[in-house]
Amino acid sequence: MGKLSTHVLDTAHGRPGAGVKVELYATDSCGRTLLATAHTNADGRCDAPLLEGEQLRVGQYELVFHAGDYFTAQGVTLPSPRFLDRIVIAFGVSDSSQNYHVPLVVTPWSYSTYRGS
């Protein structure tokens, strides 16, 4: 059975993004449903998969990373409003038997992601 995981890399400081709030939503034509909330650990990872086994289903999802709050807590002076505040990564799961790892590589001014396993 597959699982969904994430982690955050703070490339502005060259370290894992520890303490980032992450929300996971399932999305469909009716809106979105909150499935999980977690905070990244000292290694920038969640302590457990966000979904695994039968909880991981084929469909559309959103990960919401509270990057603005994280950088403010790191002492970074950000403009108001923040250029990047909550970063939403919308993605699909087409095979629930596979592992989906969706990391966030982030600075206060940019971000990227990719599908890992």
Side-chain angles (χ1 to χ4, degrees), residues 71 99-100:
F71 283 111
N99 293 336
Y100 286 78

Side-chain angles (χ1 to χ4, degrees), residues 33-84:
T33 303
L34 180 65
L35 300 177
T37 302
H39 286 81
T40 56
N41 60 24
D43 195 34
R45 300 176 183 275
C46 297
D47 289 329
L50 296 169
L51 293 176
E52 67 181 321
E54 292 185 12
Q55 293 178 321
L56 180 63
R57 297 188 175 123
V58 170
Q60 297 290 321
Y61 296 89
E62 289 181 358
L63 280 169
V64 180
F65 297 88
H66 292 249
D69 292 343
Y70 164 78
F71 283 111
T72 297
Q74 300 306 304
V76 177
T77 302
L78 300 174
S80 182
R82 297 167 176 164
F83 179 69
L84 294 176

Side-chain angles (χ1 to χ4, degrees), residues 7-11 87 89 103-107 110-114:
H7 76 275
V8 178
L9 299 170
D10 173 354
T11 55
I87 296 172
I89 299 174
L104 177 69
V105 180
V106 65
T107 78
S110 64
Y111 68 92
S112 72
T113 190
Y114 56 92

